[in-house]
Amino acid sequence: MAWLPLLVPFLAGPAARRLVSCLPPRQAAWLLTVTAAGLAAGSTAALALLVVPGATHLPAVAALGRLLTPLSAGSPDAVVTVAITALALLLLCATLFVRGLHRRWTQLGRAKRLAARARGELLVLPDETPDAYALPGRPGRIVVTAGMLRTLSAAEREALLAHERAHLRGRHHRFTAVIELSALCHPALGALREPLAYALERCADEDAARAVGDRRLTARAIGKAALASRDAGRRPGLALAATAGPVPRRVAALLEHRAGAARDRPDIGLVVAAALLACLALSAASALEAAGDLHTSIEVAQGELPEP
């Protein structure tokens, strides 16, 4: 059972891509984030559980655990090989995770320094290349270039700023941080990055449309901004922008009579959501069962329980 949490994340990617088309964006973003964190925790726990049986073949570990015999569910060579491989993967994941945390902390510091140049919510850069994005922080700031301000009409500028404001208000950078760090624990979870990015942009699109009271205006502002910013330079690492992701798909969703195509297929959305939750439950249940089996094996090896 300890292997299941390592395999289940491969099922999450296809389900996630379907989910964002069938479920309202806010619910989709939360479900993807929780699923990624849960599956990452399950796979990490599974690697740790696979290390223990092989480690008990070391005299020091056996003495520490007061084991009369090593834990073994197969040939000693195979158990030790699996343990060494699992330990190497666990150390690799831990190293990548710490480096990922440090990288995001550094990016957040850079974002704060850039945002500190603003006197209010808005930081206008004297750059003729059209661009706009949200910088997280406390408080966050909206960065926009002079070129973007000249590209859009006053009403379109308000719609674009409302979109970026929604990113800051929703703390969307925290959702992306969870996905990025989860993908460092299990590479298959990297497939959730694109669906989550789309869901977050759709959340901000809908919030902007409500703020300005005009879905068509919001769609036009996002489309024009995306076309104008194709030659924009590199943005800060944590920036969230209205021009990111599949803009034509987002514009089409905004122009729907209802709030996006997701509500037209609620049954499919519920099925896909249930599938993702089932993956999460299977991973957690498998890890817990493997932990219980390991605990029983330890008690048997200590002589506290008879062999089954």
Side-chain angles (χ1 to χ4, degrees):
M1 295 298 286
W3 293 97
L4 272 178
L6 299 174
L7 301 176
V8 170
F10 290 100
L11 304 176
R17 286 189 289 271
R18 184 65 171 164
L19 181 78
V20 294
S21 299
C22 305
L23 206 66
R26 196 174 308 280
Q27 289 90 322
W30 273 103
L31 182 55
L32 289 173
T33 305
V34 170
T35 299
L39 293 181
S43 63
T44 303
L47 288 176
L49 291 171
L50 290 171
V51 170
V52 176
T56 60
H57 286 265
L58 296 174
V61 175
L64 183 64
R66 301 191 304 275
L67 303 179
L68 303 179
T69 59
L71 305 182
S72 180
S75 67
D77 290 344
V79 171
V80 171
T81 300
V82 168
I84 292 173
T85 304
L87 179 61
L89 291 174
L90 196 60
L91 292 175
L92 175 61
C93 290
T95 302
L96 293 176
F97 189 86
V98 171
R99 289 177 58 185
L101 275 177
H102 180 265
R103 181 171 59 252
R104 293 195 71 85
W105 184 261
T106 302
Q107 290 172 342
L108 187 59
R110 291 173 181 168
K112 288 181 178 178
R113 288 192 292 272
L114 179 58
R117 294 164 52 185
R119 295 183 179 179
E121 175 193 50
L122 194 63
L123 173 61
V124 179
L125 300 179
D127 191 337
E128 292 305 314
T129 302
D131 198 10
Y133 49 87
L135 275 180
R138 294 185 178 179
R141 293 289 186 263
I142 299 172
V143 180
V144 62
T145 65
M148 181 63 82
L149 293 177
R150 276 191 280 272
T151 298
L152 304 178
S153 67
E156 291 166 346
R157 287 198 295 269
E158 183 55 36
L160 182 67
L161 294 179
H163 176 104
E164 305 301 352
R165 205 173 286 124
H167 279 315
L168 296 176
R169 186 171 55 250
R171 299 281 190 248
H172 289 170
H173 67 286
R174 294 181 179 176
F175 291 78
T176 60
V178 171
I179 293 290
E180 290 294 334
L181 294 174
S182 297
L184 298 178
C185 297
H186 196 298
L189 296 176
L192 274 64
R193 290 190 186 102
E194 186 177 338
L196 177 71
Y198 175 74
L200 293 177
E201 291 303 329
R202 286 287 298 117
C203 284
D205 290 344
E206 293 298 331
D207 285 351
R210 282 191 293 270
V212 301
D214 190 333
R215 301 179 68 80
R216 188 171 293 276
L217 169 65
T218 305
R220 185 171 68 247
I222 290 171
K224 285 180 65 175
L227 288 173
S229 63
R230 285 180 298 179
D231 298 326
R234 187 176 179 180
R235 299 178 179 123
L238 299 181
L240 292 164
T243 56
V247 174
R249 184 180 171 193
R250 290 167 47 208
V251 168
L254 275 170
L255 294 178
E256 291 284 334
H257 292 298
R258 286 172 282 180
R263 295 185 183 178
D264 293 332
R265 291 166 286 180
D267 293 340
I268 299 177
L270 290 176
V271 170
V272 179
L276 268 180
L277 290 174
C279 289
L280 186 57
L282 178 61
S283 176
S286 300
L288 288 174
E289 184 174 346
D293 291 343
L294 179 63
H295 183 265
T296 301
S297 298
I298 291 174
E299 290 186 326
V300 170
Q302 290 174 334
E304 297 180 6
L305 288 178
E307 292 191 21

